[in-house]
Amino acid sequence: MQNTFEYFLDQLINGVTLGSIYGLIAIGYTLVYGIIGMINFAHGEIFMIGAFVSIITFLTLGIMGITWVPLALVIVLVMSMAVTSVYGWTLERVAYRPLRGSPRLAALITAIGMSIFLQNYVQLLQGARTKPIQPVITGGMELMSSKMPDGGTYVVSLSYLQAIILILTIVLMTVFTIIITRTPLGRAQRACEQDRKMAALLGVNVDRTISLTFVMGAALASVAGTIFLIRYGVIDFFVGFLVGVKAFTAAVLGGIGSLPGAMLGGLLIGIIEAFWSGYFTVEYKDVAAFGILVLVLIFRPTGLLGKPDIEKV
Amino acid sequence: MLEIRGVHTFYGNIEALKGVDLDVHEGEIVTLIGANGAGKSTLLMTVCGSPQAQRGSVTYEDTEITRMATFDIVRLGIAQSPEGRRIFPGMTVLENLQLGAITTNPDFFEDDVAKVFDLFPRLKERSNQRGGTLSGGEQQMLAIGRALMSRPRLLLLDEPSLGLAPLIVKNVFRVIEKINKEGITVFLVEQNAYHALRIAHRGYVMANGKILKSGTGKELLADPSVRAAYLEGG
Ligand SMILES: Nc1ncnc2c1ncn2[C@@H]1O[C@H](COP(=O)(O)OP(=O)(O)OP(=O)(O)O)[C@@H](O)[C@H]1O
Ligand SMILES: [Mg+2]
């Protein structure tokens, strides 16, 4: 364990890129929870579908001979966002809207049911085997290097892949923060969160606003799916489960319902996981993330940036 | 302008409106008074389709709106400042006003906000404060201001004077008259029957989900049974 700082930096970069994936998915959990007060347990599967649409698009582009990486990546992102949004929209329209106003438990069980349904649906269509993809983006840049005592050099590098993930995440999160805080759509969403009936009295189409919230969440999750695919190179119909649960953990850690909370929570979970694997053992990295969640919730039941539910109206 | 005919509204099995007939003509201030639980707020909300009338009809400027969605109804030019004010507590005064303007052309926004701030200078000072932290009176001003932002032609006000100090009550009624003079028709629900009937062209008295009486503001003010029931000490 020499070159402690370089090693630390390495883990940090890993953690932040991993955290990007969790954060992008966590936003979907948090937006949906904010607006209709339900945990959309099928959101992890929406992410998984995003990853599948991405791999199908990549392979199709390969067959068509479009291999110039920037172009291919843009097409994949757009396709994946578009198709996955349709899934998100349909999910709300078919499974959740009819249950609006019914007990929370009904919606929760439906969400779990939809999660299982979507897993089986993809398994049927795409098979149960893992799907690999060739590395899409290779190479990187050297951030720093130092001599090790045994004469070798330790190089901290940022791969182009990681750089793209970071830039993509920062851009998307900025854009979504602006949408939520500054645009009429975002105001309508927050109005529906706080008082749906009043929002309707002012002329907000509440159903459409809720649909758009699902679409936004799905679009972000699909980008996470693309990132997951190009980073890990393999996916299967089950990837949505664990990643989804961790993104959900991130949303709760940050304070469910809070947009900055979801981003912060995602980042933290990613970093915790990376450091745990880097310094201790890979085996217990999942336990570490959940352990931190439990600890935080004991001291701050509303999560790091969450607000208490009770408000003077 | 607004025609309510034989309207019955239910909450589950409770029949809150039992056949209400009522008219509001263009340019008027019409007030609806009645005891607690009479169904006044229910009537205002039924006009906006939330809840919808089970029987009967609501017509606004020759369009039947009985079965229309709330957000479509208000787009026809009806705005409501509802019971309990329902300010969005987590949003600033300005954002609340922006939400009021959601159905209008964004180009009008600056002018309309200026008008609202003109009516309620207090709101201007607080424009970046969160709605939930405003005082009751300020919330009331914001609720009225927010309703005005949609440039309504018919304004529904549910107890705008509730919980306000006498001086502010006076001011609110002055504002209502001013709004009306500028061409907005007002349908006003009030407990404060004395003030309401004084500024109203016509009034209705409601009890147990039915209209008991109607007449001009003056007539109702002079009516002994109305005085006994709603104006003692007022
Ligand atoms: N959401 C609801 N669910 C069930 N019953 C309701 C609901 N809202 C109102 N009611 C009932 O409908 C009746 C009429 O209520 P409403 O609020 O219209 O009265 P109001 O005339 O506005 O009274 P107040 O002067 O106290 O505001 C009351 O008996 C009330 O209990
Ligand atoms: Mg009432």
Side-chain angles (χ1 to χ4, degrees):
Chain A
M1 272 297 153
Q2 271 84 22
N3 306 84
T4 38
F5 178 68
E6 287 78 1
Y7 190 70
F8 174 87
L9 210 58
D10 242 1
Q11 303 315 312
L12 190 65
I13 293 171
N14 277 331
V16 172
T17 39
L18 187 58
S20 300
I21 297 176
Y22 295 148
L24 288 171
I25 305 172
I27 292 174
Y29 280 109
T30 235
L31 288 180
V32 164
Y33 181 84
I35 201 160
I36 55 174
M38 78 169 275
I39 306 293
N40 175 15
F41 271 109
H43 190 54
E45 274 55 55
I46 294 290
F47 152 79
M48 177 267 290
I49 288 173
F52 267 90
V53 177
S54 305
I55 199 169
I56 294 168
T57 314
F58 265 126
L59 296 177
T60 314
L61 288 177
I63 293 169
M64 289 163 60
I66 300 173
T67 49
W68 188 51
V69 173
L71 179 65
L73 195 59
V74 168
I75 295 178
V76 166
L77 282 170
V78 170
M79 269 303 281
S80 169
M81 281 170 113
V83 176
T84 312
S85 297
V86 174
Y87 276 94
W89 183 86
T90 311
L91 177 68
E92 189 274 335
R93 195 70 192 75
V94 173
Y96 301 150
R97 190 178 299 180
L99 291 174
R100 204 160 301 152
S102 49
R104 279 188 180 202
L105 199 58
L108 187 73
I109 290 168
T110 306
I112 293 172
M114 285 315 291
S115 160
I116 296 169
F117 168 79
L118 288 173
Q119 277 178 27
N120 287 314
Y121 163 82
V122 173
Q123 187 182 3
L124 267 177
L125 285 182
Q126 296 292 323
R129 302 240 302 270
T130 57
K131 295 226 174 299
I133 188 175
Q134 298 295 320
V136 182
I137 300 160
T138 49
M141 49 200 148
E142 197 174 295
L143 290 184
M144 65 191 326
S145 65
S146 55
K147 284 265 171 296
M148 299 218 289
D150 60 10
T153 43
Y154 189 99
V155 179
V156 182
S157 62
L158 180 70
S159 70
Y160 292 136
L161 177 63
Q162 287 168 326
I164 288 174
I165 293 174
L166 289 182
I167 292 168
L168 201 56
T169 307
I170 291 169
V171 168
L172 280 174
M173 288 189 173
T174 312
V175 167
F176 271 75
T177 306
I178 291 172
I179 290 179
I180 300 284
T181 55
R182 301 242 191 288
T183 68
L185 171 63
R187 274 196 295 277
Q189 283 179 315
R190 285 180 291 143
C192 290
E193 264 175 42
Q194 292 174 31
D195 187 343
R196 219 186 282 171
K197 207 164 170 182
M198 188 65 226
L201 272 183
L202 293 173
V204 174
N205 184 339
V206 173
D207 281 337
R208 203 190 56 150
T209 307
I210 292 174
S211 288
L212 284 174
T213 306
F214 273 83
V215 164
M216 283 164 71
L220 289 180
S222 85
V223 175
T226 310
I227 293 176
F228 186 91
L229 174 72
I230 55 181
R231 175 153 185 216
Y232 295 101
V234 285
I235 53 168
D236 61 27
F237 72 96
F238 201 59
V239 284
F241 178 72
L242 192 59
V243 176
V245 167
K246 282 199 205 140
F248 171 61
T249 308
V252 176
L253 178 66
I256 189 113
S258 154
L259 184 66
M263 301 175 188
L264 177 70
L267 208 59
L268 284 178
I269 297 279
I271 291 174
I272 291 165
E273 244 187 78
F275 277 98
W276 193 278
S277 330
Y279 285 102
F280 303 109
T281 95
V282 180
E283 278 85 47
Y284 293 110
K285 70 179 197 316
D286 299 337
V287 179
F290 296 129
I292 299 274
L293 174 75
V294 171
L295 270 182
V296 168
L297 289 187
I298 288 173
F299 294 105
R300 273 193 71 92
T302 53
L304 293 171
L305 302 182
K307 294 170 292 243
D309 241 356
I310 322 112
E311 280 259 22
K312 167 182 157 195
V313 181
Chain B
M1 183 177 223
L2 182 69
E3 281 175 30
I4 299 171
R5 291 287 174 270
V7 159
H8 293 253
T9 300
F10 290 76
Y11 293 108
N13 292 325
I14 304 167
E15 187 175 13
L17 298 182
K18 303 168 182 163
V20 173
D21 294 294
L22 188 148
D23 285 278
V24 179
H25 304 128
E26 180 133 30
E28 283 185 319
I29 298 179
V30 172
T31 187
L32 176 64
I33 59 176
N36 292 125
K40 306 180 297 294
S41 302
T42 305
L43 184 62
L44 285 195
M45 289 306 283
T46 302
V47 169
C48 293
S50 165
Q52 292 185 343
Q54 206 131 326
R55 275 186 281 146
S57 69
V58 183
T59 310
Y60 173 73
E61 304 201 306
D62 303 323
T63 312
E64 168 147 11
I65 57 173
T66 325
R67 299 269 170 278
M68 272 168 75
T70 302
F71 66 88
D72 281 330
I73 293 175
V74 302
R75 277 162 199 266
L76 297 174
I78 302 178
Q80 179 169 176
S81 162
E83 178 160 56
R85 299 161 187 147
R86 303 188 95 144
I87 295 305
F88 296 107
M91 291 197 233
T92 65
V93 167
L94 197 64
E95 285 178 316
N96 270 279
L97 293 175
Q98 285 174 319
L99 277 161
I102 213 150
T103 57
T104 56
N105 184 336
D107 292 346
F108 297 150
F109 185 76
E110 293 301 323
D111 280 357
D112 291 354
V113 163
K115 269 187 212 153
V116 168
F117 285 164
D118 214 38
L119 281 178
F120 303 111
R122 204 47 182 278
L123 293 181
K124 187 172 189 174
E125 296 163 27
R126 319 252 144 177
S127 63
N128 288 318
Q129 191 172 325
R130 275 165 25 110
T133 63
L134 294 177
S135 80
E138 290 162 349
Q139 290 194 10
Q140 188 62 64
M141 296 172 201
L142 181 53
I144 299 174
R146 182 178 62 183
L148 288 173
M149 289 302 292
S150 67
R151 305 197 148 201
R153 303 208 300 112
L154 174 62
L155 179 63
L156 312 177
L157 297 173
D158 199 337
E159 303 202 30
S161 74
L162 187 74
L164 303 185
L167 213 64
I168 307 191
V169 169
K170 262 197 170 147
N171 186 39
V172 165
F173 281 102
R174 245 202 321 269
V175 167
I176 294 171
E177 281 192 288
K178 191 169 164 191
I179 293 168
N180 178 248
K181 290 224 168 72
E182 284 168 13
I184 298 177
T185 309
V186 178
F187 184 21
L188 170 69
V189 164
E190 258 303 333
Q191 290 288 343
N192 204 327
Y194 175 70
H195 278 292
L197 288 172
R198 282 228 327 202
I199 66 163
H201 300 98
R202 291 185 307 112
Y204 291 83
V205 179
M206 184 180 235
N208 285 319
K210 289 193 180 119
I211 299 292
L212 283 188
K213 257 191 179 55
S214 65
T216 65
K218 280 213 182 75
E219 282 164 11
L220 292 175
L221 267 177
D223 186 306
S225 65
V226 172
R227 292 190 75 88
Y230 306 106
L231 292 168
E232 279 309 82

